[in-house]
């Protein structure tokens, strides 16, 4: 109580109000958010100030996969109303509205209040324009490494236990990186559960290993699978980002800084240290971008064809996206195609891998390996200038939508090498330097991106379809072979399930095998509960209305009306309490108001590891 009293006294401003939260972003950070608003990672860290306030941090990513730690906020707690303030008032107030509407992905850990608030805001049709068509994604690293791995570690005793644990971990990452369609998600999860159930019959595993794995899958993984699985993000720009551990690394860098904020610092001292650290990071980003824009790989006499392509692209394209596309181009030689439909302005091709190698069980284990036939569409379109035509290329694998670079399925059809014109403008080195700084360049980029989005968000080439057809490779004609794997599940070429698990046991029976009871089906999933305000306490649900009404009371008469209304509400609630409990509760004077600063239960702080006080000295 004394801590809260002193805290309120220190945070009280001259006009009687109390500072509950403060959010800030440096000018350079705001400019970088304008350049790269597409992916945001959010996290909360501690130990940065004497008032024990959590530090909320949001970071972005450049096209070259570099971190942008631009947004910071001291908040009073991690309750839902705090996150509502962050996403409804804080971020829209300090960030450019146009840039914020371009948000594609917000990656978080599984904090129930944070995720619940975010899902509610993104699903609300009245708020969706603030963050565009953004999606929330849970961090796979927190769920798998900090979730399953830490939970199961105490049950791993033998080499066979370790092999089982690693198989499950690889399978969980398979959901977050490889699954492209919902049908694959369902098929793979059914096979995962069946595999674990079969393992329950093996007495060589340590007791509790398999049963706790199945329990964790049922209670902690499957309810949140829609916020983890790649199939829900594979058509989103930045959809390959499945972890927010880059925000964790930003937090670690902050706390390793020689001028870092310390747990015993006053709020303004910690704020100053964070501002200085962020400023240094922003300056380093800008300096690196300027150096990268002037750098280029040098040719060598021993260069292969791929080395030459890499050297030419290095003049304009950032290294991460350049390497992704070159790898795709190299893999394109393993694929073949056939024209499926054709007319004057449209060409549809089917592509498939020539020789599918069946994986060895010793290498991949029972994890499914899906092979699909891809559909690549070439559509002639009228360019924005009105005098030219272009070709929009869209592949069903959606790699271009995720990284703004062509996939191997496109290169297996057209006989062209990767050039700078095949990349989205965000992947150019000049983009980080000039976008938002040069008005003419910024306008040109925005107009081009609007045109690309208008025609489907694929690769837009400045040529006619007739000219592009002259660059087609030789096709392999076998329509029945292509149609075999055209479905959204494809074909699982892993032989394990075809022989031992597939259709051997149902998921419902799997629950009974290890002695657990079947739970009744509920209409609401865990995600719906987090996004449902009715599941929250009265304080969280009423806080916004309470604050809004209090702001309307300006005169003494209006304040008295406000207080009388609260007194009436209090009387009704106390009467209900007396009627239900039978107790004689006397109403005291004064009103229960919303606390300005929230407190949490007092928990004794543990001594640091290695502290001398942890070791008892021998008494002489």
């Amino acid at each position: 109580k004394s801590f809260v009293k002193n805290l309120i006294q220190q945070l009280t401003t001259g006009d009687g109000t109390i500072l509950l939260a403060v959010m800030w972003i440096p000018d350079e950070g705001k400019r970088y958010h304008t350049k790269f608003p597409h992916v945001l990672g959010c996290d909360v860290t501690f130990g940065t100030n004497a008032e024990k306030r959590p530090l909320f941090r949001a970071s972005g990513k450049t096209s070259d996969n570099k971190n942008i730690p631009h947004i910071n906020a001291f908040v009073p707690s991690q309750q839902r109303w705090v996150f509502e303030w962050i996403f409804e008032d804080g971020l829209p107030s300090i960030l450019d509205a146009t840039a914020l509407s371009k948000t594609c992905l917000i990656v978080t850990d599984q904090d129930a209040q944070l995720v619940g608030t975010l899902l509610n805001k993104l699903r609300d049709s009245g708020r969706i324009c603030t963050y565009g068509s953004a999606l929330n994604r849970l961090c796979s690293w927190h769920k798998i490494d900090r979730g399953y791995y830490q939970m199961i570690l105490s049950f791993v005793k033998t080499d066979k236990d370790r092999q089982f644990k690693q198989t499950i971990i690889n399978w969980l990452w398979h959901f977050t990186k490889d699954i492209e369609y919902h049908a694959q998600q369902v098929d793979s999860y059914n096979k995962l559960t069946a595999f674990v159930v079969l393992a329950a019959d093996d007495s060589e595993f340590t007791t509790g290993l398999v049963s706790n794995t199945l329990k964790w899958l049922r209670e902690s993984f499957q309810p949140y699978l829609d916020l983890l699985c790649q199939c829900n993000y594979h058509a989103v720009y930045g959809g390959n980002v499945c972890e927010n551990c880059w925000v964790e690394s930003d937090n670690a860098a902050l706390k390793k800084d020689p001028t870092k904020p310390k747990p015993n610092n006053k709020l303004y001292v910690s704020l100053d240290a964070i501002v200085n650290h962020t400023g240094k990071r922003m300056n380093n980003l800008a300096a690196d971008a300027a150096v990268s824009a002037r750098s280029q790989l040098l040719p060598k006499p021993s260069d292969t064809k791929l080395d030459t392509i890499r050297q030419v692209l290095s003049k304009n394209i950032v290294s991460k996206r350049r390497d992704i596309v070159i790898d795709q181009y190299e893999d394109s030689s393993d694929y073949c195609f056939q024209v499926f439909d054709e007319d004057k302005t449209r060409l549809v091709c089917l592509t498939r891998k020539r020789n599918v190698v069946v994986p060895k069980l010793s290498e991949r284990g029972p994890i499914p390996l899906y092979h699909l036939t891809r559909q690549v569409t070439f559509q002639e379109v009228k360019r924005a200038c009105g005098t030219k035509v272009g070709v929009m290329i869209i592949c069903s694998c959606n790699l271009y939508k995720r990284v703004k670079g062509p996939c191997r399925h496109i290169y297996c059809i057209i006989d062209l090498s990767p050039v700078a014109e095949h990349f989205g403008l965000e992947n150019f080195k000049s983009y980080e330097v000039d976008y938002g700084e040069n008005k003419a360049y910024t306008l040109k980029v925005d107009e081009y991106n609007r045109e690309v989005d208008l025609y489907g968000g694929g690769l837009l080439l400045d040529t006619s379809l007739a000219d592009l057809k002259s660059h087609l490779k030789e096709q392999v004609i076998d329509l029945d072979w292509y149609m075999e794997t055209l479905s959204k599940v494809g074909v699982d070429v892993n032989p394990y399930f075809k022989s031992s698990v597939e259709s051997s046991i149902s998921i419902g029976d799997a629950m009974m095998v290890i002695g657990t009871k079947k739970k009744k089906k509920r209409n609401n999933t865990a995600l719906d509960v987090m996004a449902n305000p009715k599941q929250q306490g009265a304080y969280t649900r009423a806080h916004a209305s309470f604050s809004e009404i209090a702001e309307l009371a300006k005169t003494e008469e209006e304040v008295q009306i406000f207080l009388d209304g609260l007194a009436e509400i209090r009387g009704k609630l106390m009467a209900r309490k007396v009627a239900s409990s039978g107790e004689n509760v006397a109403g005291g004077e004064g009103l229960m108001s919303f606390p300005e600063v929230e407190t949490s239960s007092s928990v004794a702080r543990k001594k640091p590891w290695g502290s001398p006080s942890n070791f008892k000295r021998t008494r002489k």
Side-chain angles (χ1 to χ4, degrees), residues 391-432:
V391 177
M392 171 60 65
I393 308 176
I394 298 178
C395 179
S396 59
C397 77
N398 288 319
L399 179 72
Y400 193 91
K401 294 182 180 180
R402 296 196 300 274
V403 303
K404 297 293 180 76
C407 61
R408 52 185 175 269
H409 312 110
I410 294 176
Y411 284 126
C412 89
I413 299 173
I414 56 175
D415 192 14
L416 297 174
S417 300
V419 293
E421 288 74 17
H422 293 175
F423 291 79
L425 298 181
E426 293 86 349
N427 295 333
F428 280 71
K429 294 179 178 180
S430 57
Y431 177 86
E432 186 173 348

Side-chain angles (χ1 to χ4, degrees), residues 1-12 18-20 46-54 75-77 263-267 596-603 605:
K1 290 183 179 179
S2 61
F3 171 76
V4 175
K5 184 177 179 181
N6 293 332
L7 179 59
I8 293 176
Q9 184 177 1
Q10 293 176 10
L11 297 180
T12 302
I18 294 179
L19 176 67
L20 290 182
F46 302 89
T48 60
N49 59 91
E51 296 171 9
K52 302 179 182 179
R53 283 175 171 262
V75 293
S77 69
N264 60 348
N265 286 154
K266 291 185 177 181
L267 204 62
E596 288 84 359
V597 177
E598 297 171 1
T599 59
S600 58
S601 59
S602 177
V603 179
R605 186 173 180 179

Side-chain angles (χ1 to χ4, degrees), residues 159-176:
D159 289 340
K160 191 169 183 178
D161 292 343
R162 280 186 280 275
Q163 184 180 6
F164 176 83
K165 178 204 68 175
Q166 193 58 48
T167 299
I168 298 299
I169 289 176
N170 292 344
W171 208 324
L172 298 178
W173 282 110
H174 155 76
F175 282 100
T176 67

Side-chain angles (χ1 to χ4, degrees), residues 26 69 253 257-260 273-287:
D257 194 304
T259 60
K260 63 184 178 182
I274 296 170
V275 169
N276 290 335
H277 171 80
T278 306
K280 288 188 289 186
R281 293 288 298 274
M282 293 295 109
N283 291 336
N284 290 340
L285 274 176

Side-chain angles (χ1 to χ4, degrees), residues 204-458:
E204 294 184 10
F205 288 115
T206 301
T207 304
L209 174 67
V210 180
S211 60
N212 280 282
T213 295
L214 191 55
K215 180 181 178 182
W216 183 87
L217 289 173
R218 183 179 63 250
E219 298 179 358
S220 298
F221 186 71
Q222 196 275 336
Y224 306 99
L225 192 51
D226 286 341
L227 291 180
L228 291 162
C229 192
Q230 177 67 17
C231 66
N232 299 303
Y233 308 96
H234 87 122
V236 177
Y237 181 52
N240 285 350
V241 179
C242 63
E243 310 161 45
N244 76 335
C245 47
W246 86 87
V247 189
E248 300 276 358
S249 67
D250 287 336
N251 296 338
L254 172 66
K255 294 178 180 180
K256 289 180 181 178
D257 194 304
T259 60
K260 63 184 178 182
K262 300 177 182 177
N264 60 348
N265 286 154
K266 291 185 177 181
L267 204 62
Y268 71 90
V269 177
S270 295
L271 193 148
D272 187 56
I274 296 170
V275 169
N276 290 335
H277 171 80
T278 306
K280 288 188 289 186
R281 293 288 298 274
M282 293 295 109
N283 291 336
N284 290 340
L285 274 176
D288 290 345
V291 172
S292 176
R294 298 190 299 268
S295 63
Q296 181 182 358
L297 295 176
L298 297 177
K300 300 177 182 177
S302 59
D303 281 352
T304 62
K305 179 181 179 180
L306 289 178
D307 293 330
T308 302
I309 294 173
R310 182 177 285 105
Q311 184 265 324
V312 173
L313 290 177
S314 68
K315 182 178 180 180
N316 298 303
I317 307 299
V318 296
S319 60
K320 295 293 183 182
R321 300 293 169 84
R322 177 190 72 215
D323 292 341
I324 290 175
V325 172
I326 289 178
D327 289 342
Q328 292 289 316
Y329 175 74
E330 185 177 13
D331 293 340
S332 67
S333 59
D334 297 333
Y335 287 75
C336 57
F337 79 98
Q338 177 179 344
V339 175
F340 181 68
D341 188 22
E342 182 179 9
D343 57 33
K344 289 185 178 180
T345 61
R346 188 169 180 264
L347 176 69
V348 179
C349 298
L350 301 179
T351 70
R352 184 179 172 183
K353 196 168 186 177
R354 295 176 188 271
N355 300 311
V356 177
V357 179
V358 177
K360 296 180 180 179
L361 290 178
S362 59
E363 297 175 354
R364 188 174 181 84
I367 303 172
L369 181 61
Y370 299 105
H371 279 273
L372 300 96
T373 295
R374 308 291 185 173
Q375 181 174 302
V376 183
T377 304
F378 299 81
Q379 180 69 53
E380 192 169 82
V381 297
K382 191 178 233 184
R383 296 301 302 273
C385 59
T387 58
K388 289 184 179 181
V389 295
V391 177
M392 171 60 65
I393 308 176
I394 298 178
C395 179
S396 59
C397 77
N398 288 319
L399 179 72
Y400 193 91
K401 294 182 180 180
R402 296 196 300 274
V403 303
K404 297 293 180 76
C407 61
R408 52 185 175 269
H409 312 110
I410 294 176
Y411 284 126
C412 89
I413 299 173
I414 56 175
D415 192 14
L416 297 174
S417 300
V419 293
E421 288 74 17
H422 293 175
F423 291 79
L425 298 181
E426 293 86 349
N427 295 333
F428 280 71
K429 294 179 178 180
S430 57
Y431 177 86
E432 186 173 348
V433 176
D434 295 332
Y435 188 84
E437 313 292 339
N438 185 316
K439 290 185 178 181
Y441 178 82
T442 304
L443 182 63
K444 176 184 174 183
V445 171
D446 290 341
E447 289 178 349
Y448 178 82
N449 285 337
R450 279 194 294 268
E451 185 179 8
V452 169
D453 292 339
L454 177 65
Y455 293 123

Side-chain angles (χ1 to χ4, degrees), residues 125-137:
S125 59
R127 305 283 182 187
I128 199 167
C129 58
T130 305
Y131 295 93
S133 56
L135 298 174
N136 175 221
R137 186 170 194 177

